[in-house]
Structure formats: structure tokens, C-alpha cells
Amino acid sequence: MSAADNDAMKPPGGQVIPSYSEARVNLSSMGSRVTSKSYSGLYRCRGCFAESLGATICFIPCCECCLWGVWGFRGIPCPALGCVTFCLCKQGSSYITEKAGMTTGELVLVDEKTGTLAMYGIGGDCTSMSEEAQCYCTK
């Protein structure tokens, strides 16, 4: 990862996005304070394709087991196409993405105070999450 990429993964205020292992430990320490509402709201994502497009995402809990993600442009939701709306499944205190029954990513609350979320993708071994976040989202 280049220095520019490293800077792209630092949210405003100097917070550094933790590794997947650190994020899981932090999430466990938050305990029952983490609910589906901890993930809900309008977010701006950085460090991924969404940033260059000016895209936002609105996470909406549809029940205690699912989290809908609706992409938008500059805060305006655009759910018209099926490809811009997706569902994450709750697993413990985080939400996962799946394809053909296999976990492909995990959305983790990394800062309880600011509501910052990080998305970690499947690692190169295809059996565990990558330690490095693919992107992060701030409210």
C-alpha cells in the first residue's frame, strides 16, 4: 500500500482504521451496546470506488438479522436498479456479505463514538478475512 493509499484510509480526525483482528477485538469489547441501529444511517465511503463517484450509502436495518444497503449520489438514495441495493446478513455483532453460501466480506463497526464502519474482504487464502480494510464509511 502506498503512502497515498495509507492516507486515504485515515478518517478525518486522524483515526486509523484497525486491522481485521483488532476490529474484531474492539467489536467484542463493545458487547451488547452494538445493535442494528449502530450500523444504520447515511454514510460516505472512502478508499473504494464509491469515493471517486461521490457515492453515499444508506444502511437500513430491515430486521434484527438483515441490513439493507442503498447506494446514493451525494446523499440522495437511488434504489431504482437491483444492482445498487443489497442485503447484508447479521453474524454476531457485524454483518457479512455472501455469494453462493460463502462469506465474501464483513462490515464491522470500528468506532462506536463516530459510527465509523469498515469493510473487510475475503483474504487471498479464500478462508479468512483480509487484515486490511477494503474501505471505510463515516456518517
Side-chain angles (χ1 to χ4, degrees), residues 68-81:
W68 283 99
V70 180
W71 287 105
F73 181 71
R74 301 192 189 272
I76 301 169
C78 303
L81 303 173

Side-chain angles (χ1 to χ4, degrees), residues 19-117:
S19 68
Y20 177 72
S21 298
E22 294 168 335
R24 294 295 308 160
V25 169
N26 293 342
L27 189 62
S28 293
S29 71
M30 294 178 210
S32 63
R33 295 188 311 268
V34 179
T35 66
S36 58
K37 290 181 182 178
S38 303
Y39 287 84
S40 67
L42 182 64
Y43 289 85
R44 182 173 172 211
C45 296
R46 294 178 177 89
C48 60
F49 77 92
E51 182 175 13
S52 62
L53 298 175
T56 55
I57 190 163
C58 186
F59 288 116
I60 306 163
C62 56
C63 61
E64 278 301 311
C65 63
C66 296
L67 186 71
W68 283 99
V70 180
W71 287 105
F73 181 71
R74 301 192 189 272
I76 301 169
C78 303
L81 303 173
C83 64
V84 295
T85 304
F86 60 93
C87 186
L88 301 168
C89 302
K90 187 168 185 170
Q91 186 176 63
S93 295
S94 62
Y95 288 86
I96 60 168
T97 57
E98 293 181 308
K99 186 171 185 174
M102 295 179 62
T103 299
T104 57
E106 186 170 350
L107 185 67
V108 180
L109 177 66
V110 295
D111 189 317
E112 188 176 16
K113 290 180 184 176
T114 63
T116 301
L117 307 174

